[in-house]
Amino acid sequence: MNSQTVQILIAMIIYMAIVVVIGVVYAKKANKSSENYFLGGRSLGPWVTAMSAEASDMSGWLLMGFPGSIFAFGMGKVWIGIGLAIGTALNWIFVATRLRKFSQAANDSITLPQYLTNRFASSSPVLKVICGVIFLISFTVYVASAFNAGTAVFVDVLPWFADHQHLAMIIFSVIILIYTFLGGYKAVCWTDFFQGLLMLGALLIAPIFALTIISAGDGS
C-alpha cells in the first residue's frame, strides 16, 4: 500500500468518523419524540434543509452519472440538468413552503402518506398503500444506484476493494445506518449538508483542474 493510498484511506476514515460523531451529537435530542426524530423538531433552517435535500437528491448521479451520460451520449444530455434545475426550483417555490405549513396543520403529520390521509380525513388505507408502493419502487431504484456509485468510489480510490466490492458496500451501509438510527433527521440533514459542501467544492474545483490540464497540453 503506497503513501497516496494510505492518505486516501485516512481521509475516508476521518470522514466516516465525522458523520458517526454527528449522529452521536444529535442522538439525545432525536430520541425525545417522534417529531424530533423524523423532522428534527421542525427547527432546521432553509439553508441546511435545502443543501441536505439537494445533496440527497443529487449524490452519485450528479457527480458520476450525469457527467458520464454527457461523455457517452454528447452535450444533448445537458438538458437533464436543466430540466432538473427547473423542476427543483418550482418544487421549492410552490410546494415546499405550503407542504411544511399544511402538514403541521393536518394533525402535525410527520410523513407524506400521513399528511394526505389527515388532509382528506380518510379512514381508508388506500392512500398510504399507494404512497408506499410508489416509494418502494422509486427509492429502491434510487438507493440501488447510490449504493452502486458508492461502491464505485471505494473501488476507484482504494483498488484493494476491486475484489471485495460487497465488503465496501457493507462498510458504508453500516456507517449510514449508524448515524441515521442514532441522530434521526437532524443527523441526516447535517451530514448531507457537510456532503453537499464537499460536492459543491468538487464541482467547482474539477473544471478548474480540467482547464489547467487542457491549457498545459495546448501549450506543449
Side-chain angles (χ1 to χ4, degrees):
M1 187 178 292
N2 57 42
S3 59
Q4 184 178 8
T5 302
V6 172
Q7 291 172 2
I8 293 173
L9 181 59
I10 292 173
M12 293 184 71
I13 291 173
I14 292 174
Y15 169 77
M16 292 178 182
I18 289 173
V19 297
V20 170
V21 168
I22 291 174
V24 172
V25 168
Y26 287 107
K28 186 176 181 180
K29 290 183 179 179
N31 288 283
K32 286 183 177 180
S33 67
S34 58
E35 185 182 20
N36 277 328
Y37 186 84
F38 289 108
L39 297 178
R42 299 182 186 270
S43 61
L44 286 175
W47 285 103
V48 176
T49 302
M51 183 67 80
S52 170
E54 295 313 307
S56 297
D57 183 32
M58 307 304 176
S59 62
W61 88 263
L62 178 64
L63 294 177
M64 300 176 67
F66 185 41
S69 178
I70 294 174
F71 179 79
F73 302 106
M75 290 300 293
K77 292 296 181 179
V78 169
W79 284 103
I80 297 174
I82 295 173
L84 182 67
I86 294 173
T88 300
L90 292 175
N91 183 46
W92 280 108
I93 295 170
F94 295 107
V95 178
T97 303
R98 290 172 173 81
L99 182 60
R100 182 184 179 96
K101 293 178 180 178
F102 293 154
S103 63
Q104 194 167 10
N107 294 335
D108 203 20
S109 302
I110 293 177
T111 66
L112 189 57
Q114 185 181 14
Y115 162 69
L116 292 174
T117 301
N118 292 339
R119 169 69 177 79
F120 296 105
S122 174
S123 58
S124 171
V126 173
L127 275 174
K128 292 181 179 179
V129 171
I130 292 174
C131 289
V133 171
I134 293 173
F135 292 164
L136 178 63
I137 295 173
S138 302
F139 280 98
T140 297
V141 175
Y142 174 77
V143 171
S145 65
F147 272 47
N148 184 62
T151 303
V153 170
F154 264 80
V155 172
D156 188 55
V157 300
L158 296 171
W160 181 82
F161 281 106
D163 298 325
H164 304 82
Q165 295 188 24
H166 286 92
L167 177 60
M169 188 176 294
I170 290 171
I171 290 173
F172 69 75
S173 299
V174 169
I175 297 297
I176 293 170
L177 289 172
I178 288 173
Y179 72 74
T180 300
F181 276 103
L182 283 176
Y185 182 74
K186 270 196 173 182
V188 172
C189 283
W190 279 105
T191 301
D192 287 341
F193 179 77
F194 177 49
Q195 293 172 346
L197 292 178
L198 292 177
M199 290 168 61
L200 181 61
L203 289 172
L204 294 175
I205 293 172
I208 297 174
F209 274 102
L211 289 173
T212 302
I213 294 172
I214 293 172
S215 299
D218 293 340
S220 61

